[in-house]
Structure formats: C-alpha cells, structure tokens
Amino acid sequence: MKPREIRDGVYWVGAVDWDRRLFDCLIPLPDGTSYNAYLIKGSNKTALIDTVDTPMWQKLIDNLNQLGVDSIDYVIANHAEPDHSGAIPQILEKYPGATLLATPRCKDILVDLLMVPKERISTVNDRETVSLGDRTLEFIHIPWVHWPETMGTYLREEKILFPCDFFGSHLATTDLYVTDQGRVHEAAKRYYAEIMMPFRSNIQKNLAKLKDYAIDIIAPSHGPLYDNPDFIMEAYQHWADDKPKNHVVVAYVSMYGSTRRMVEYLVAALAEKGISVEQFDLTVADLGKLAMALVDAATLVIGTPTVLTGPHPAAAYAAIAVNALRPKLRYISVIGSYGWGGKSVEQLSSMIPNLKAEILEPVLSKGAPLEADFKALENLVTIITTKHKEGDFDPVLS
Ligand code: FEO
C-alpha cells in the first residue's frame, strides 16, 4: 500500500499483511492484519510514529522514500513489541539524526529486545509534549494495553490519537477508515478478547484517562482508523464493564459421544430458560471465537471425558487459555464422563487460579449418561438460571 494522507502533512506509511494467519504462534488471524506507522510533518520537524514488523521494513522505507522524506527528527516508539518496533533499527540507520522517543520502560525493552543503542533513545514522561513547529505531540502513558510500557501519542492541533494496540483490530484492508462497522466491530472485539481482556481494569483506567482529550480520529497500529471514535470507545467501555451478560459458554471435547450428549442436553435446556449459549467443540474451535464469547459470558461450562485419570488435553488447554485471558466469569462448572474414575474436576480447577468464579456442582457420568445424569444436568441448569437471575444480567447485544 502506498502512503495515505490523513490530514495535510499527516500520513499513514505502514504495511498491510494480507497473508499472516497466526500471531505469537497462538492467535489466529483469519483476516490478516496491518502494522500502521504514521508520518507527521511539522513546520520545523518531522516525526514517525511507530514502525512495522521486521519482515516488512522495506515497505515502510519505500513509503518514506515515496514521500521524499530525507530526514526524520523523532521516531516515536509507542510500544516495544516487534510488530511495531521491528523496523526501528533500519529506520535509525537510514536517518542517523533521528532521536527515538519512548517511555522509560519502553526504552529498557527496546534495548533488551532490539539492541537499540541507549544513546539514540530519549525518554518522555506522561503528558510531556514535543513541538514540531506548528504541531504539538503529547505523550500519554497508557500502561498495560497490553504491555507495561505502552503510551499513546496525541496530535493536538488535529485532535488525532495514535494509541498503538489500544482500539486496534487485526484486519487487512484497503480501507483507511472504518467503512463496514459490523466487520470492524467483530475484528476489534476479537482483538480485545485475545489481547486486552486480561488487563480489563487497566483498560478501564486508560479509557477514563482519554476522556480528558478531544479526539476526532483514532489511528491505531492495527486495522482501519476511526473517524467516529465514539464507535470504538463505547464498544470498549461495554466490553471492559465489570458486569457479565446473561450468557453461557460451553467448551467441550467428546471422544465417544457421552460428553457430547450431555453438552447438547445442557445447551438446549439453558436456551429453553432464556439464556443465550455458545457451544464450542475444542478439537476444531477457533481460539479467537472462544475468547470473544468469553468477553460477555457469566458462566463457563467445560465438558470433558476422562483420559488417563484427568481431563482430555484439549479441555486442559482451554482451561489454561481461559485462565490466562481472565474473563469476567462469575461461575464455572465441569460436565463429562469417565470409565472407572479420575480427577478431571480437581485438575481443571487447579488450572484456573486467576479466575474469581464460583465453581458450581459438576456433573460426571459413568460411561454413557443415564436418567440420573440428565436429572443432575437439569439441576445444574436450575442453579445457573437462578444465579443469572440474581445477577440481573442483561442479554448479549453484540
Ligand atoms: Fe501490535 Fe502489542 O503489538
């Protein structure tokens, strides 16, 4: 993609990664992604905000060459993760007069990760400003979105916020701005669920901090820009809210069909009670879809057969992933089957220490589920329904 002008002298100069399908060897990217970098030309000085992932450094250099940029005064590293910092070494080499600006923690990480020479980096404090002449950049520390060192950069005269990962979406597109709100909402929710959800309380604090600023455009480091910032800020407020929705996630694996029968019975019975449910077969589920469902869920039910005295490894993997994502779940239960014994419930419970959820009575059938097991499932449905009513949870809207 060629450079795109956002405002007079303000350009998108990043790279679109249409083909990437996995991030951190963990996160599925069904729609690719982009690494957004921005150039700001002031009357006296020029700044580059963030760079691109290392393999795409030449695309950033090509974009700067196309704009005839022969000097850069400041390279601003909002975030040290290599998908944004990866081309800093090439940029510092091409522009030997450039000073890298970063938070103190970001400086340390850049030195450790990329071996950037310390003398090329100046640190900036929260709300410190730097002048480009007729334009002013203000640095807003927004830690833990999702690393500890992150900041956003605010271009005062144009009211543009460059918040790096915050508000981003893994979406490869030729659109500079959001055009299809539904598509971007889904991609941004997936991004929030996978990247930001573990830091929900910090997200709330940073959202509150940004209320101090008049913002016309949010220009994140992934996905399209928002020329209607309320669209994404309100969505974040909603996702990061403490109260879950009237929603249950059932994530299961079944070897011979017993656990599946129990899952199908449970899902149908919960739906009959007016609770929305999402069912995931963990052998084929998209981890991103599961994470998105957990943004709103009040209850998680893990379904597993017993394998070698414990949960199936797919169920264990899901439990570990949920523990890391720290959703705002209030209740968790385990259902499934066993042949002659085992400790699935105990082992799964030990894998979720980060969650503050109450563990509801599990339902385990010996072999295929019989009448008594379905009655126990009915009882679990009654408990979940009662808990959700007591919680006064709203329905899921999105
Ligand atoms: Fe897009 Fe945290 O890097």
Tab-separated table of all heavy atoms in Angstrom, residues 226-275:
chain	number	residue	atom	x	y	z
A	226	TYR	N	-10.425	5.176	12.952
A	226	TYR	CA	-11.794	5.510	13.347
A	226	TYR	C	-12.003	7.016	13.205
A	226	TYR	O	-11.393	7.800	13.946
A	226	TYR	CB	-12.042	5.111	14.802
A	226	TYR	CG	-11.797	3.642	15.086
A	226	TYR	CD1	-10.538	3.199	15.503
A	226	TYR	CD2	-12.811	2.696	14.933
A	226	TYR	CE1	-10.301	1.853	15.759
A	226	TYR	CE2	-12.584	1.350	15.188
A	226	TYR	CZ	-11.328	0.942	15.596
A	226	TYR	OH	-11.099	-0.393	15.848
A	227	ASP	N	-12.848	7.428	12.248
A	227	ASP	CA	-13.195	8.849	12.192
A	227	ASP	C	-14.462	9.120	13.001
A	227	ASP	O	-14.942	10.243	13.071
A	227	ASP	CB	-13.322	9.358	10.749
A	227	ASP	CG	-14.240	8.520	9.898
A	227	ASP	OD1	-14.873	7.574	10.438
A	227	ASP	OD2	-14.323	8.780	8.691
A	228	ASN	N	-14.994	8.049	13.615
A	228	ASN	CA	-16.064	8.169	14.604
A	228	ASN	C	-15.563	7.473	15.876
A	228	ASN	O	-15.925	6.319	16.153
A	228	ASN	CB	-17.345	7.510	14.065
A	228	ASN	CG	-18.426	7.429	15.121
A	228	ASN	OD1	-18.340	8.086	16.168
A	228	ASN	ND2	-19.429	6.610	14.885
A	229	PRO	N	-14.708	8.156	16.659
A	229	PRO	CA	-14.074	7.484	17.810
A	229	PRO	C	-15.063	6.911	18.812
A	229	PRO	O	-14.769	5.920	19.474
A	229	PRO	CB	-13.230	8.597	18.450
A	229	PRO	CG	-13.002	9.584	17.377
A	229	PRO	CD	-14.226	9.549	16.515
A	230	ASP	N	-16.254	7.525	18.928
A	230	ASP	CA	-17.237	7.009	19.897
A	230	ASP	C	-17.583	5.545	19.623
A	230	ASP	O	-17.868	4.775	20.541
A	230	ASP	CB	-18.528	7.836	19.845
A	230	ASP	CG	-18.331	9.202	20.491
A	230	ASP	OD1	-17.285	9.395	21.142
A	230	ASP	OD2	-19.202	10.068	20.321
A	231	PHE	N	-17.580	5.177	18.345
A	231	PHE	CA	-17.925	3.804	17.949
A	231	PHE	C	-17.057	2.791	18.698
A	231	PHE	O	-17.567	1.858	19.322
A	231	PHE	CB	-17.762	3.662	16.429
A	231	PHE	CG	-17.608	2.261	15.932
A	231	PHE	CD1	-18.631	1.336	16.076
A	231	PHE	CD2	-16.427	1.856	15.305
A	231	PHE	CE1	-18.488	0.036	15.606
A	231	PHE	CE2	-16.279	0.559	14.841
A	231	PHE	CZ	-17.309	-0.349	14.994
A	232	ILE	N	-15.752	3.002	18.705
A	232	ILE	CA	-14.868	2.011	19.329
A	232	ILE	C	-14.722	2.272	20.837
A	232	ILE	O	-14.601	1.331	21.619
A	232	ILE	CB	-13.493	1.959	18.610
A	232	ILE	CG1	-12.688	0.758	19.083
A	232	ILE	CG2	-12.700	3.250	18.792
A	232	ILE	CD1	-13.290	-0.581	18.735
A	233	MET	N	-14.778	3.535	21.239
A	233	MET	CA	-14.617	3.805	22.674
A	233	MET	C	-15.823	3.277	23.457
A	233	MET	O	-15.680	2.726	24.550
A	233	MET	CB	-14.404	5.296	22.917
A	233	MET	CG	-13.073	5.763	22.337
A	233	MET	SD	-12.737	7.493	22.613
A	233	MET	CE	-11.627	7.425	23.997
A	234	GLU	N	-16.998	3.411	22.885
A	234	GLU	CA	-18.193	2.880	23.562
A	234	GLU	C	-18.172	1.350	23.583
A	234	GLU	O	-18.571	0.717	24.567
A	234	GLU	CB	-19.463	3.389	22.881
A	234	GLU	CG	-19.778	4.824	23.266
A	234	GLU	CD	-20.885	5.442	22.415
A	234	GLU	OE1	-21.589	4.707	21.698
A	234	GLU	OE2	-21.021	6.680	22.471
A	235	ALA	N	-17.686	0.762	22.491
A	235	ALA	CA	-17.586	-0.702	22.455
A	235	ALA	C	-16.617	-1.180	23.542
A	235	ALA	O	-16.913	-2.133	24.277
A	235	ALA	CB	-17.122	-1.169	21.080
A	236	TYR	N	-15.488	-0.524	23.683
A	236	TYR	CA	-14.509	-0.895	24.718
A	236	TYR	C	-15.111	-0.746	26.123
A	236	TYR	O	-14.886	-1.572	27.002
A	236	TYR	CB	-13.244	-0.039	24.581
A	236	TYR	CG	-12.091	-0.777	23.926
A	236	TYR	CD1	-12.149	-1.125	22.579
A	236	TYR	CD2	-10.955	-1.127	24.639
A	236	TYR	CE1	-11.108	-1.806	21.971
A	236	TYR	CE2	-9.904	-1.807	24.042
A	236	TYR	CZ	-9.978	-2.145	22.708
A	236	TYR	OH	-8.949	-2.825	22.121
A	237	GLN	N	-15.850	0.349	26.314
A	237	GLN	CA	-16.481	0.582	27.617
A	237	GLN	C	-17.394	-0.599	27.957
A	237	GLN	O	-17.415	-1.084	29.084
A	237	GLN	CB	-17.299	1.879	27.530
A	237	GLN	CG	-17.481	2.597	28.840
A	237	GLN	CD	-16.278	3.425	29.243
A	237	GLN	OE1	-15.843	4.258	28.459
A	237	GLN	NE2	-15.749	3.185	30.426
A	238	HIS	N	-18.106	-1.031	26.972
A	238	HIS	CA	-19.062	-2.129	27.115
A	238	HIS	C	-18.319	-3.451	27.397
A	238	HIS	O	-18.658	-4.186	28.320
A	238	HIS	CB	-19.848	-2.168	25.807
A	238	HIS	CG	-20.711	-3.336	25.578
A	238	HIS	ND1	-21.886	-3.550	26.237
A	238	HIS	CD2	-20.574	-4.376	24.720
A	238	HIS	CE1	-22.441	-4.665	25.789
A	238	HIS	NE2	-21.652	-5.180	24.883
A	239	TRP	N	-17.260	-3.730	26.630
A	239	TRP	CA	-16.538	-4.996	26.806
A	239	TRP	C	-15.808	-5.042	28.150
A	239	TRP	O	-15.705	-6.088	28.770
A	239	TRP	CB	-15.520	-5.187	25.669
A	239	TRP	CG	-16.136	-5.257	24.308
A	239	TRP	CD1	-17.382	-5.723	23.990
A	239	TRP	CD2	-15.552	-4.831	23.069
A	239	TRP	NE1	-17.603	-5.618	22.633
A	239	TRP	CE2	-16.504	-5.081	22.041
A	239	TRP	CE3	-14.322	-4.284	22.708
A	239	TRP	CZ2	-16.253	-4.796	20.699
A	239	TRP	CZ3	-14.066	-4.004	21.364
A	239	TRP	CH2	-15.023	-4.250	20.377
A	240	ALA	N	-15.276	-3.893	28.573
A	240	ALA	CA	-14.468	-3.872	29.800
A	240	ALA	C	-15.321	-3.721	31.062
A	240	ALA	O	-14.792	-3.768	32.176
A	240	ALA	CB	-13.447	-2.737	29.726
A	241	ASP	N	-16.631	-3.552	30.879
A	241	ASP	CA	-17.523	-3.380	32.028
A	241	ASP	C	-17.441	-4.598	32.971
A	241	ASP	O	-17.214	-5.715	32.523
A	241	ASP	CB	-18.964	-3.216	31.509
A	241	ASP	CG	-19.911	-2.831	32.614
A	241	ASP	OD1	-19.779	-1.716	33.123
A	241	ASP	OD2	-20.766	-3.661	32.977
A	242	ASP	N	-17.626	-4.350	34.254
A	242	ASP	CA	-17.473	-5.431	35.239
A	242	ASP	C	-18.593	-6.469	35.189
A	242	ASP	O	-18.401	-7.611	35.583
A	242	ASP	CB	-17.439	-4.845	36.666
A	242	ASP	CG	-16.142	-4.112	36.930
A	242	ASP	OD1	-15.120	-4.478	36.308
A	242	ASP	OD2	-16.145	-3.171	37.743
A	243	LYS	N	-19.758	-6.056	34.735
A	243	LYS	CA	-20.919	-6.956	34.822
A	243	LYS	C	-21.021	-7.828	33.559
A	243	LYS	O	-21.056	-7.297	32.442
A	243	LYS	CB	-22.180	-6.112	34.967
A	243	LYS	CG	-23.381	-6.898	35.434
A	243	LYS	CD	-24.528	-5.949	35.736
A	243	LYS	CE	-25.786	-6.689	36.063
A	243	LYS	NZ	-26.914	-5.772	36.228
A	244	PRO	N	-21.099	-9.152	33.733
A	244	PRO	CA	-21.250	-10.006	32.547
A	244	PRO	C	-22.693	-9.994	32.040
A	244	PRO	O	-23.565	-9.356	32.640
A	244	PRO	CB	-20.864	-11.391	33.069
A	244	PRO	CG	-21.211	-11.352	34.521
A	244	PRO	CD	-21.041	-9.918	34.980
A	245	LYS	N	-22.912	-10.707	30.957
A	245	LYS	CA	-24.247	-10.792	30.355
A	245	LYS	C	-24.890	-12.145	30.684
A	245	LYS	O	-24.245	-13.044	31.216
A	245	LYS	CB	-24.146	-10.636	28.830
A	245	LYS	CG	-23.449	-9.360	28.384
A	245	LYS	CD	-24.266	-8.133	28.678
A	245	LYS	CE	-23.625	-6.901	28.060
A	245	LYS	NZ	-24.165	-5.667	28.607
A	246	ASN	N	-26.155	-12.252	30.315
A	246	ASN	CA	-26.910	-13.489	30.531
A	246	ASN	C	-26.489	-14.517	29.472
A	246	ASN	O	-27.255	-14.857	28.573
A	246	ASN	CB	-28.406	-13.179	30.445
A	246	ASN	CG	-29.265	-14.371	30.805
A	246	ASN	OD1	-28.838	-15.255	31.539
A	246	ASN	ND2	-30.481	-14.402	30.264
A	247	HIS	N	-25.247	-14.968	29.593
A	247	HIS	CA	-24.625	-15.746	28.521
A	247	HIS	C	-23.778	-16.873	29.113
A	247	HIS	O	-23.055	-16.660	30.092
A	247	HIS	CB	-23.740	-14.804	27.695
A	247	HIS	CG	-23.291	-15.380	26.390
A	247	HIS	ND1	-24.158	-15.776	25.408
A	247	HIS	CD2	-22.042	-15.629	25.901
A	247	HIS	CE1	-23.476	-16.230	24.366
A	247	HIS	NE2	-22.189	-16.162	24.650
A	248	VAL	N	-23.887	-18.047	28.509
A	248	VAL	CA	-23.111	-19.212	28.948
A	248	VAL	C	-22.260	-19.706	27.781
A	248	VAL	O	-22.737	-19.786	26.646
A	248	VAL	CB	-24.043	-20.350	29.431
A	248	VAL	CG1	-23.234	-21.615	29.755
A	248	VAL	CG2	-24.842	-19.920	30.654
A	249	VAL	N	-21.006	-20.024	28.062
A	249	VAL	CA	-20.126	-20.650	27.070
A	249	VAL	C	-19.926	-22.104	27.493
A	249	VAL	O	-19.581	-22.376	28.645
A	249	VAL	CB	-18.768	-19.919	27.007
A	249	VAL	CG1	-17.774	-20.718	26.154
A	249	VAL	CG2	-18.950	-18.522	26.438
A	250	VAL	N	-20.171	-23.002	26.543
A	250	VAL	CA	-19.937	-24.423	26.799
A	250	VAL	C	-18.816	-24.873	25.856
A	250	VAL	O	-18.990	-24.877	24.633
A	250	VAL	CB	-21.215	-25.264	26.561
A	250	VAL	CG1	-20.932	-26.745	26.844
A	250	VAL	CG2	-22.363	-24.768	27.437
A	251	ALA	N	-17.672	-25.185	26.429
A	251	ALA	CA	-16.499	-25.594	25.640
A	251	ALA	C	-16.207	-27.039	25.990
A	251	ALA	O	-15.992	-27.364	27.165
A	251	ALA	CB	-15.314	-24.697	25.994
A	252	TYR	N	-16.213	-27.915	24.987
A	252	TYR	CA	-16.161	-29.340	25.316
A	252	TYR	C	-15.340	-30.121	24.306
A	252	TYR	O	-15.039	-29.661	23.205
A	252	TYR	CB	-17.593	-29.903	25.354
A	252	TYR	CG	-18.147	-30.166	23.975
A	252	TYR	CD1	-18.169	-31.455	23.451
A	252	TYR	CD2	-18.600	-29.122	23.176
A	252	TYR	CE1	-18.653	-31.700	22.175
A	252	TYR	CE2	-19.079	-29.350	21.899
A	252	TYR	CZ	-19.105	-30.642	21.399
A	252	TYR	OH	-19.556	-30.875	20.139
A	253	VAL	N	-15.002	-31.317	24.731
A	253	VAL	CA	-14.418	-32.315	23.832
A	253	VAL	C	-15.058	-33.642	24.199
A	253	VAL	O	-15.344	-33.897	25.370
A	253	VAL	CB	-12.871	-32.341	23.941
A	253	VAL	CG1	-12.419	-32.515	25.373
A	253	VAL	CG2	-12.246	-33.403	23.055
A	254	SER	N	-15.343	-34.457	23.189
A	254	SER	CA	-16.020	-35.730	23.445
A	254	SER	C	-15.352	-36.819	22.612
A	254	SER	O	-15.167	-36.651	21.401
A	254	SER	CB	-17.504	-35.607	23.083
A	254	SER	OG	-18.191	-36.791	23.409
A	255	MET	N	-14.989	-37.926	23.236
A	255	MET	CA	-14.299	-38.993	22.499
A	255	MET	C	-15.272	-40.018	21.920
A	255	MET	O	-15.149	-40.438	20.782
A	255	MET	CB	-13.295	-39.681	23.437
A	255	MET	CG	-12.107	-38.799	23.758
A	255	MET	SD	-11.208	-39.319	25.240
A	255	MET	CE	-10.621	-40.922	24.787
A	256	TYR	N	-16.261	-40.445	22.737
A	256	TYR	CA	-17.183	-41.491	22.274
A	256	TYR	C	-18.628	-41.023	22.235
A	256	TYR	O	-19.533	-41.821	22.047
A	256	TYR	CB	-17.065	-42.728	23.186
A	256	TYR	CG	-15.659	-43.263	23.255
A	256	TYR	CD1	-14.981	-43.332	24.470
A	256	TYR	CD2	-15.001	-43.687	22.104
A	256	TYR	CE1	-13.689	-43.816	24.536
A	256	TYR	CE2	-13.700	-44.166	22.160
A	256	TYR	CZ	-13.047	-44.224	23.377
A	256	TYR	OH	-11.767	-44.700	23.439
A	257	GLY	N	-18.857	-39.726	22.483
A	257	GLY	CA	-20.211	-39.191	22.346
A	257	GLY	C	-20.938	-38.944	23.653
A	257	GLY	O	-21.965	-38.270	23.665
A	258	SER	N	-20.441	-39.495	24.781
A	258	SER	CA	-21.169	-39.320	26.054
A	258	SER	C	-21.153	-37.850	26.467
A	258	SER	O	-22.208	-37.283	26.808
A	258	SER	CB	-20.525	-40.179	27.156
A	258	SER	OG	-20.627	-41.531	26.825
A	259	THR	N	-19.987	-37.247	26.452
A	259	THR	CA	-19.908	-35.837	26.861
A	259	THR	C	-20.707	-34.967	25.891
A	259	THR	O	-21.381	-34.021	26.301
A	259	THR	CB	-18.428	-35.392	26.932
A	259	THR	OG1	-17.753	-36.212	27.884
A	259	THR	CG2	-18.308	-33.935	27.335
A	260	ARG	N	-20.659	-35.298	24.596
A	260	ARG	CA	-21.427	-34.501	23.621
A	260	ARG	C	-22.924	-34.557	23.925
A	260	ARG	O	-23.605	-33.535	23.862
A	260	ARG	CB	-21.152	-34.984	22.200
A	260	ARG	CG	-21.956	-34.186	21.157
A	260	ARG	CD	-21.657	-34.555	19.716
A	260	ARG	NE	-20.324	-34.148	19.328
A	260	ARG	CZ	-19.319	-34.979	19.111
A	260	ARG	NH1	-19.506	-36.274	19.229
A	260	ARG	NH2	-18.135	-34.539	18.784
A	261	ARG	N	-23.427	-35.725	24.268
A	261	ARG	CA	-24.859	-35.846	24.594
A	261	ARG	C	-25.209	-34.972	25.790
A	261	ARG	O	-26.246	-34.311	25.821
A	261	ARG	CB	-25.225	-37.309	24.890
A	261	ARG	CG	-25.348	-38.158	23.623
A	261	ARG	CD	-25.746	-39.579	23.962
A	261	ARG	NE	-27.066	-39.651	24.584
A	261	ARG	CZ	-27.495	-40.690	25.298
A	261	ARG	NH1	-26.722	-41.739	25.459
A	261	ARG	NH2	-28.702	-40.676	25.818
A	262	MET	N	-24.337	-34.964	26.763
A	262	MET	CA	-24.577	-34.133	27.959
A	262	MET	C	-24.540	-32.648	27.593
A	262	MET	O	-25.373	-31.852	28.053
A	262	MET	CB	-23.524	-34.442	29.027
A	262	MET	CG	-23.615	-35.882	29.537
A	262	MET	SD	-22.246	-36.313	30.632
A	262	MET	CE	-22.763	-35.507	32.143
A	263	VAL	N	-23.590	-32.283	26.740
A	263	VAL	CA	-23.460	-30.880	26.319
A	263	VAL	C	-24.715	-30.446	25.566
A	263	VAL	O	-25.282	-29.373	25.822
A	263	VAL	CB	-22.192	-30.710	25.441
A	263	VAL	CG1	-22.252	-29.412	24.632
A	263	VAL	CG2	-20.948	-30.741	26.320
A	264	GLU	N	-25.150	-31.300	24.630
A	264	GLU	CA	-26.323	-30.925	23.825
A	264	GLU	C	-27.570	-30.790	24.706
A	264	GLU	O	-28.379	-29.884	24.511
A	264	GLU	CB	-26.526	-31.952	22.704
A	264	GLU	CG	-25.464	-31.776	21.612
A	264	GLU	CD	-25.462	-32.881	20.575
A	264	GLU	OE1	-26.188	-33.880	20.761
A	264	GLU	OE2	-24.711	-32.743	19.581
A	265	TYR	N	-27.689	-31.675	25.677
A	265	TYR	CA	-28.825	-31.591	26.611
A	265	TYR	C	-28.764	-30.283	27.401
A	265	TYR	O	-29.763	-29.559	27.530
A	265	TYR	CB	-28.790	-32.796	27.565
A	265	TYR	CG	-29.985	-32.889	28.470
A	265	TYR	CD1	-31.113	-33.630	28.090
A	265	TYR	CD2	-30.010	-32.223	29.695
A	265	TYR	CE1	-32.223	-33.703	28.916
A	265	TYR	CE2	-31.124	-32.291	30.522
A	265	TYR	CZ	-32.222	-33.036	30.131
A	265	TYR	OH	-33.330	-33.095	30.953
A	266	LEU	N	-27.592	-29.984	27.916
A	266	LEU	CA	-27.413	-28.775	28.736
A	266	LEU	C	-27.694	-27.510	27.927
A	266	LEU	O	-28.410	-26.606	28.387
A	266	LEU	CB	-25.977	-28.738	29.280
A	266	LEU	CG	-25.656	-27.538	30.167
A	266	LEU	CD1	-26.197	-27.758	31.577
A	266	LEU	CD2	-24.143	-27.306	30.238
A	267	VAL	N	-27.143	-27.450	26.724
A	267	VAL	CA	-27.306	-26.242	25.900
A	267	VAL	C	-28.785	-26.017	25.590
A	267	VAL	O	-29.307	-24.893	25.705
A	267	VAL	CB	-26.464	-26.360	24.600
A	267	VAL	CG1	-26.817	-25.254	23.614
A	267	VAL	CG2	-24.972	-26.338	24.940
A	268	ALA	N	-29.487	-27.101	25.204
A	268	ALA	CA	-30.914	-26.969	24.874
A	268	ALA	C	-31.708	-26.526	26.105
A	268	ALA	O	-32.602	-25.667	26.019
A	268	ALA	CB	-31.447	-28.299	24.339
A	269	ALA	N	-31.384	-27.086	27.254
A	269	ALA	CA	-32.134	-26.753	28.480
A	269	ALA	C	-31.867	-25.308	28.913
A	269	ALA	O	-32.793	-24.609	29.348
A	269	ALA	CB	-31.747	-27.725	29.589
A	270	LEU	N	-30.642	-24.858	28.790
A	270	LEU	CA	-30.339	-23.452	29.138
A	270	LEU	C	-31.059	-22.499	28.190
A	270	LEU	O	-31.616	-21.479	28.611
A	270	LEU	CB	-28.819	-23.210	29.073
A	270	LEU	CG	-27.989	-23.797	30.220
A	270	LEU	CD1	-26.497	-23.757	29.861
A	270	LEU	CD2	-28.241	-23.047	31.524
A	271	ALA	N	-31.044	-22.846	26.888
A	271	ALA	CA	-31.697	-21.984	25.894
A	271	ALA	C	-33.192	-21.877	26.194
A	271	ALA	O	-33.800	-20.815	26.049
A	271	ALA	CB	-31.461	-22.524	24.491
A	272	GLU	N	-33.776	-22.997	26.629
A	272	GLU	CA	-35.197	-23.008	26.971
A	272	GLU	C	-35.512	-22.048	28.113
A	272	GLU	O	-36.613	-21.521	28.223
A	272	GLU	CB	-35.607	-24.432	27.391
A	272	GLU	CG	-36.815	-24.917	26.640
A	272	GLU	CD	-37.178	-26.339	27.031
A	272	GLU	OE1	-36.347	-27.041	27.649
A	272	GLU	OE2	-38.306	-26.743	26.709
A	273	LYS	N	-34.527	-21.841	28.957
A	273	LYS	CA	-34.710	-20.920	30.095
A	273	LYS	C	-34.416	-19.470	29.720
A	273	LYS	O	-34.368	-18.592	30.583
A	273	LYS	CB	-33.778	-21.319	31.258
A	273	LYS	CG	-34.029	-22.701	31.794
A	273	LYS	CD	-35.312	-22.767	32.603
A	273	LYS	CE	-35.482	-24.133	33.246
A	273	LYS	NZ	-36.804	-24.286	33.860
A	274	GLY	N	-34.141	-19.219	28.459
A	274	GLY	CA	-33.920	-17.839	28.012
A	274	GLY	C	-32.488	-17.363	28.155
A	274	GLY	O	-32.212	-16.159	28.078
A	275	ILE	N	-31.558	-18.308	28.334
A	275	ILE	CA	-30.140	-17.926	28.433
A	275	ILE	C	-29.485	-18.163	27.070
A	275	ILE	O	-29.666	-19.218	26.459
A	275	ILE	CB	-29.428	-18.775	29.516
A	275	ILE	CG1	-30.033	-18.469	30.885
A	275	ILE	CG2	-27.927	-18.517	29.515
A	275	ILE	CD1	-29.478	-19.314	32.011
